Amino acid sequence: MIPAETSYDVVVVGSGFAGTLLAMALHQHGRKVALIERGRHPRFAIGESSTPLANLLLEEIADEFNLPRLRTLSKYGSWQEHHSDIACGLKRGFSFYKHTPGARLRADDLSNQLLFAASPNDRISDMHWYRPDFDHFLVRQACELGLRYEDEAELTEATQCNEGVWTLRIKGRTEPITCAFVVDATGPCGWLAKHFNLPVRGLPELPAMESLYAHFSGLERLDAIDPQFTQCGLPYPVDDAALHHIIDEGWMWMLRFNNGLTSAGFILKPNVAERIRTSSPQALWDHLIGRYPTLARQFQNARAVTPLYHQQRVNFTVDQIAGPGWAMLPSAAGFIDPLLSTGFALTLLGVQRLARTLISAPPTEPERIAYQQQTQRELKATAALIGALTATMPHFDRFRDLTLLYFAAASYAETMRRLGRPGLAPGFLLCSHPGFGPEFLSICRSAIDDPKRDFSERIQRIIAPFNVAGLDRPRSHPWYPVVLDDLFASADRIGSSREELMAMLRTCGAL
Ligand SMILES: Cc1cc2nc3c(=O)[nH]c(=O)nc-3n(C[C@H](O)[C@H](O)[C@H](O)COP(=O)(O)OP(=O)(O)OC[C@H]3O[C@@H](n4cnc5c(N)ncnc54)[C@H](O)[C@@H]3O)c2cc1C
């Protein structure tokens, strides 16, 4: 319980992983912080799959803000060693398979697949975070650090006086809390958007996609129902990944945890439910699974262990992200789509930026504007990419070409950050890079307008200066393992030496 009439420098509203991390970072730098949660941990949360950049940001935040216990959560190996009680899943990369209704998926059909490794081995691999455990652990850490945390706390009133000081009232508690700054970490269309009555908009880059998801037990691995999916030369076991099934109606994710559960869900084009004349999430689910024989086989013995959640609209943005005395985390300001797991990285970039500003004082107006503009730029770039990928899903070769924009930008940004030169990779997806950013947007917009058009040469030209992952190498299959020689081959191009790259790889555990 927050003691009566206590005032704080910052109140963070929402204790998902992002709000809790920010609150801890500020607390460690001497700010007086309170963290307020409407619900109670452990609780179900969607958004589970991390990426190399998200993990690197977690590492950077842990180092910069003196949170050493969190650093061990940034790689699968150290997570298993130090936190085996927190469930997670092994994510070696991104697996994509394109399905045809009524037909079994065939492993030997190379035209229908794309496998992109994100790590060279399990030890330094990414994870799927089992959010009930992960978020609960972070909150316990926050409490151990001595930070004020209130759960089951519903804000009923929030007022700001002329000097900017906030007074917040919690349902059932008589004494208010005051603070100089509030951060909205309450997730999509959250607390401040409602408080300020901000219009919540869709995105011009992609339709209003729906989602339908749950956690399941007994969901079979693809490589268990058909041993052909263990064929020679694969960069990693295809299920130890964010497994994406592309279908006519949209796409499906499968994320396996090490506690026997799997997160699975659909992202669907609008009106799928209407077209098959159902308003029942279960009927929609059964219809979709039934249309695709390989999915039906994987789900044959599966049982949902959570409700089946149906979200009518996944993507959204709000126009205002920060103002005098307040800011939203990127996850409260907008969301695009789970494809390519961009949510964590976008959110953690926001956590890092806000923490850096808020450790000294409430942000100045220019700082708030810079934060808002950067967040909007990054959401826009992500929307353009996901819009283009969604448009090209029916034309899978084009889809595969476009993913190279993401993999080039992500691997270059990770390399530059690890080399201590983050300024050379400005913005998520290099969106603030004067060369890459505008070209990237232009290709994505053209692909949205004309998804059948071949952009492969243009894409190769744009990614060439940033290619640290052998993305231009001719290959006989659509599989991209991590090959360290590709990085060494790029040394001159990225202004580095072999020795410097070796040292970086040793530091991050890849050697
Ligand atoms: C279907 C779907 C799949 C996704 N998959 C991925 C993925 O695989 N990878 C990825 O990187 N991203 C993914 N995302 C995005 C990801 O979910 C978010 O980036 C992430 O959850 C943001 O975390 P958060 O801590 O900011 O917010 P949340 O996890 O949403 O937590 C918000 C917290 O605020 C609390 N709260 C809400 N309202 C109030 C209130 N009024 N007062 C107090 N507390 C409140 C809630 O109870 C909750 O605990 C996905 C998103 C969706 C919709």
Side-chain angles (χ1 to χ4, degrees):
M1 287 280 275
I2 294 174
E5 292 187 281
T6 308
S7 67
Y8 292 86
D9 296 319
V10 180
V11 169
V12 178
V13 184
S15 70
F17 75 85
T20 310
L21 269 177
L22 176 62
M24 282 196 276
L26 297 175
H27 172 87
Q28 289 299 79
H29 275 254
R31 305 301 284 170
K32 205 170 165 203
V33 188
L35 178 60
I36 292 179
E37 167 61 44
R38 185 174 61 183
R40 190 187 183 101
H41 291 278
R43 55 91 175 93
F44 176 87
I46 198 63
E48 296 146 330
S49 195
S50 80
T51 55
L53 183 58
N55 281 330
L56 178 55
L57 287 163
L58 185 60
E59 228 173 87
E60 288 180 6
I61 291 168
D63 291 347
E64 186 173 347
F65 298 98
N66 187 24
L67 296 163
R69 280 210 77 191
L70 305 192
R71 200 177 208 281
T72 46
L73 290 163
S74 67
K75 292 186 176 75
Y76 184 76
S78 54
W79 181 313
Q80 294 312 301
E81 201 179 319
H82 297 277
H83 307 283
S84 55
D85 54 325
I86 306 175
C88 74
L90 177 62
K91 180 184 179 186
R92 289 289 312 279
F94 289 92
S95 306
F96 296 91
Y97 290 98
K98 170 95 167 72
H99 294 243
T100 305
R104 187 173 61 82
L105 193 65
R106 286 185 33 205
D108 59 354
D109 179 358
L110 297 181
S111 71
N112 69 1
Q113 53 185 279
L114 171 66
L115 300 179
F116 219 108
S119 52
N121 57 47
D122 291 0
R123 201 167 31 84
I124 63 164
S125 162
D126 302 326
M127 292 77 56
H128 312 304
W129 301 346
Y130 183 64
R131 297 284 300 277
D133 285 1
F134 185 74
D135 290 12
H136 193 197
F137 170 79
L138 291 186
V139 159
R140 290 199 308 270
Q141 287 292 296
C143 294
E144 273 177 32
L145 292 177
L147 193 145
R148 294 288 182 185
Y149 173 64
E150 283 229 1
D151 60 8
E152 296 183 327
E154 197 178 320
L155 288 170
T156 51
E157 205 184 304
T159 47
Q160 217 177 353
C161 72
N162 288 342
E163 287 77 40
V165 173
W166 286 87
T167 301
L168 306 174
R169 286 186 185 278
I170 296 174
K171 190 175 176 181
R173 329 260 157 105
T174 44
E175 301 303 337
I177 302 165
T178 59
C179 64
F181 201 87
V182 293
V183 176
D184 181 356
T186 60
C189 314
W191 169 63
L192 274 182
K194 289 190 189 95
H195 174 75
F196 288 125
N197 210 11
L198 298 175
V200 174
R201 290 191 297 104
L203 304 163
E205 294 85 356
L206 76 168
M209 307 295 275
E210 294 180 23
S211 72
L212 191 61
Y213 54 84
H215 281 178
F216 294 85
S217 64
L219 179 59
E220 296 269 17
R221 290 176 68 97
L222 195 53
D223 59 15
I225 61 164
D226 184 348
Q228 288 238 325
F229 284 96
T230 56
Q231 74 235 68
C232 207
L234 291 171
Y236 52 82
V238 298
D239 299 82
D240 294 338
L243 175 53
H244 300 69
H245 298 287
I246 311 285
I247 57 172
D248 287 2
E249 296 83 355
W251 65 277
M252 168 175 237
W253 75 82
M254 287 183 187
L255 312 173
R256 310 190 76 84
F257 301 111
N258 58 5
N259 58 2
L261 301 183
T262 301
S263 170
F266 289 103
I267 296 293
L268 300 170
K269 294 174 193 163
N271 309 330
V272 176
E274 212 172 283
R275 279 205 305 275
I276 63 162
R277 295 200 184 87
T278 182
S279 57
S280 146
Q282 189 62 53
L284 177 57
W285 181 273
D286 293 342
H287 168 84
L288 291 166
I289 297 292
R291 249 166 82 77
Y292 298 93
T294 302
L295 298 184
R297 177 65 191 84
Q298 282 194 270
F299 275 96
Q300 195 171 311
N301 299 311
R303 188 176 61 82
V305 298
T306 65
L308 186 56
Y309 297 96
H310 186 197
Q311 214 178 341
Q312 297 284 356
R313 162 151 224 152
V314 175
N315 54 56
F316 77 96
T317 53
V318 292
D319 290 334
Q320 204 185 342
I321 295 175
W326 64 272
M328 294 180 191
L329 281 184
S331 44
F335 182 64
I336 313 303
D337 195 280
L339 192 73
L340 293 173
S341 314
T342 53
F344 288 179
L346 283 164
T347 303
L348 289 168
L349 282 165
V351 168
Q352 192 178 52
R353 287 180 190 131
L354 279 182
R356 283 177 180 166
T357 319
L358 284 166
I359 52 172
S360 41
T364 59
E365 191 180 359
E367 283 171 335
R368 287 198 314 268
I369 291 172
Y371 172 76
Q372 167 158 313
Q373 287 179 342
Q374 188 60 24
T375 305
Q376 282 169 336
R377 221 180 345 259
E378 292 180 349
L379 287 169
K380 195 91 194 136
T382 308
L385 177 66
I386 302 295
L389 289 170
T390 303
T392 54
M393 278 177 185
H395 319 287
F396 200 58
D397 281 345
R398 305 289 171 253
F399 174 92
R400 287 197 291 213
D401 290 341
L402 280 166
T403 61
L404 296 185
L405 289 172
Y406 170 80
F407 291 115
S411 49
Y412 178 80
E414 188 196 353
T415 305
M416 287 304 144
R417 290 185 94 97
R418 287 199 184 278
L419 288 171
R421 292 177 222 150
L424 292 180
F428 187 58
L429 300 173
L430 308 184
C431 65
S432 304
H433 190 287
F436 189 88
E439 282 282 6
F440 168 95
L441 280 182
S442 159
I443 291 199
C444 290
R445 284 185 185 136
S446 305
I448 292 169
D449 292 341
D450 187 0
K452 286 190 191 160
R453 204 165 126 201
D454 183 354
F455 292 101
S456 52
E457 275 179 26
R458 214 172 134 197
I459 290 171
Q460 283 296 341
R461 216 172 40 248
I462 291 167
I463 65 174
F466 309 94
N467 177 6
V468 294
L471 305 178
D472 55 347
R473 202 152 29 83
R475 49 192 83 221
S476 55
H477 46 64
W479 305 337
Y480 291 78
V482 171
V483 177
L484 296 184
D485 279 342
D486 288 329
L487 177 63
F488 295 131
S490 73
D492 282 350
R493 204 177 326 126
I494 63 171
S496 193
S497 66
R498 188 179 170 89
E499 291 66 38
E500 195 186 10
L501 293 174
M502 294 276 276
M504 176 199 80
L505 291 171
R506 253 183 245 113
T507 306
C508 74
L511 281 183

